Amino acid sequence: MLIVQKFGGSSVANAERIFNVAQRIAETYKEGNDVVVVLSAQGDTTDDLITKAKEISKKPSKREMDMLLSTGEQQSVALMAMALAELGYPATSLNAYQVGMMTTSTYMNARLKKIKPDRIRRELDRKNIVLVTGFQGMNRFDDITTLGRGGSDTTAVAIAAALHADKCEIYTDVDGVYTADPRVVKDAKKIEEITYDEMLELASLGAKVLHNRSVELAKKYNVELVVRSSLTRAEGTVVKEVCKMERMLISGVAGDDEIARVSLIGIEDTPGKAFDIFTTLAKKNINVDIILQSIGRDGTKDISFTVADTALTDVKEIVATHMDRWGLKDVDYNENLAKVSVVGAGMVANAGVASKMFEAMYDTNINIHMISTSEIKISILIDKKDMHKAMNAIHDAFQLVD
Ligand code: ADP
Ligand code: ASP
Ligand code: MG
């Protein structure tokens, strides 16, 4: 079998953890499998590199940030190759350039476009264990790019798809996908199987256990994923197209406190304004999430929307540049907000879900600022300080525990 395994930052945080992972890789290899391993940077390395950059510059060039951040993953693969050699196994480390990991040109948030798997195949033919840097790619200018925080999962799925791997295992510091982040909701329960669609919503709405693009790719190329622990032997969670198990109304609760709200106030109430504003933002690669437009009054209206907090500096610049053309009277920013969501394929035809969620907020005295719904999720915007309380209250309300 050809198996792709991905180990996250905490799984390779120090020498002991690296040897622990090396043992697990060796076990898979000894069973006669071809093994490709994708690694993240050790522990807090990526955060530490970001801090280092901030010490030098308030707004460093994104190209140089990628040059810097990509070094973390390169350390991990080299160290793992050394650990495997110590244990007596042949291993080769490769970076994005060596495996032809082509991406779009957007620095710090690039999307994978193509992989040339020839080099990996050659190494596998030589019976080497192949260790590939997660998170990084190359763009058409031959520059290093990165895939956005948590992007190593996406590297693993892309490689599994390109090589038509038999298995893609994502090893992390929890033993599967839970009904909510187990560090926030103590009663959260492990989910045995979850569909791509539900997992994609959970991941996009803040459940960092998987990078949302990795789930998108897994669905597109039908790569079945297993999320499991690098420290225990527990079975883990399977992510796939169709689940046999009886579906619950709600599969999970997710929270995201890395968001910001932008309010554009006093826009002239004429056709084409929203088109102009959101086209301008899109052209600058700003992903807009919840949008709310007020009812017009006195010939003007307000539009509020949320973005990732990391995009706020760029948004402020764009708004300042276009303030006059958009005819804005004022603009307001709020970074003290969080988004809490419930996700479940079972909610499509169930009107009671929203009211139950709102009731849980009323019971815990949490104020809702914005609401957004889709077929399989409901999200609310609340104060950041209330996020954990809200997640617990909603999790309780839907009795996601047996
Ligand atoms: P890695 O470094 O292995 O990629 P991450 O920190 O990116 O690990 O993701 C694992 C973390 O995701 C867990 O430690 C957990 O706190 C968090 N998490 C958030 N939501 C969930 C969820 N629904 N199920 C499991 N873990 C979750
Ligand atoms: N090292 C990167 C990060 O911390 C990528 C990853 O861990 O998936 O975001
Ligand atoms: Mg991760």
Side-chain angles (χ1 to χ4, degrees), residues 6-11 40-41 150 152-153 170-174 176-184 191 199 202 206-210 253-254 391:
K6 178 258 170 179
F7 294 87
S10 49
S11 301
S40 292
S152 297
D153 301 328
I170 309 288
Y171 287 86
T172 182
D173 56 0
V174 282
V177 178
Y178 279 69
T179 48
D181 186 340
R183 294 181 207 287
V184 176
I191 303 169
M199 191 63 235
L202 279 177
K208 288 197 181 143
V209 61
L210 284 177
V253 177
M391 287 172 71

Side-chain angles (χ1 to χ4, degrees), residues 155-172:
T155 311
V157 174
I159 290 177
L163 295 173
H164 304 288
D166 299 289
K167 262 192 195 177
C168 183
E169 301 174 326
I170 309 288
Y171 287 86
T172 182

Side-chain angles (χ1 to χ4, degrees), residues 331-381:
V331 54
D332 179 60
Y333 302 102
N334 187 342
E335 287 180 85
N336 294 312
L337 296 171
K339 182 171 67 176
V340 174
S341 313
V342 286
V343 173
M347 74 164 76
V348 179
N350 197 309
V353 175
S355 71
K356 198 169 202 162
M357 184 177 186
F358 303 155
E359 184 185 11
M361 294 302 88
Y362 171 61
D363 287 344
T364 38
N365 200 24
I366 294 174
N367 196 26
I368 301 171
H369 301 299
M370 280 163 106
I371 299 169
S372 135
T373 63
S374 79
E375 272 197 341
I376 66 167
K377 70 120 205 262
I378 301 172
S379 299
I380 54 172
L381 210 64

Side-chain angles (χ1 to χ4, degrees), residues 6 8-9 40-43 46-47 69 73 134-135 148-153:
K6 178 258 170 179
S40 292
Q42 291 185 280
T46 308
D47 288 329
L69 296 189
E73 271 64 19
F135 184 48
R149 297 304 304 270
S152 297
D153 301 328

Side-chain angles (χ1 to χ4, degrees), residues 235-294:
E235 285 281 330
T237 300
V238 180
V239 188
K240 56 186 189 175
E241 185 66 41
V242 184
C243 293
K244 284 192 283 327
M245 295 170 60
E246 201 185 315
R247 300 308 306 154
M248 301 221 297
L249 178 61
I250 298 299
S251 56
V253 177
D256 182 355
D257 62 1
E258 293 168 353
I259 58 168
R261 195 253 305 128
V262 180
S263 295
L264 307 178
I265 298 161
I267 307 166
E268 191 188 319
D269 197 7
T270 52
K273 286 290 179 222
F275 173 55
D276 186 2
I277 292 167
F278 293 109
T279 311
T280 310
L281 291 166
K283 276 191 190 143
K284 301 274 179 186
N285 288 310
I286 307 289
N287 287 322
V288 171
D289 185 24
I290 305 178
I291 302 175
L292 187 80
Q293 180 178 306
S294 69

Side-chain angles (χ1 to χ4, degrees), residues 42 70 79 94 106 109 116 131 146 149 182 196 223 232 259 278 288 312 314 320 334 336 369 388 390:
Q42 291 185 280
S70 61
L79 292 170
L94 298 172
T106 321
N109 197 21
K116 297 178 206 133
L131 307 165
T146 60
R149 297 304 304 270
Y196 292 126
V223 177
T232 72
I259 58 168
F278 293 109
V288 171
L312 196 58
D314 288 347
N334 187 342
N336 294 312
H369 301 299
H388 289 181

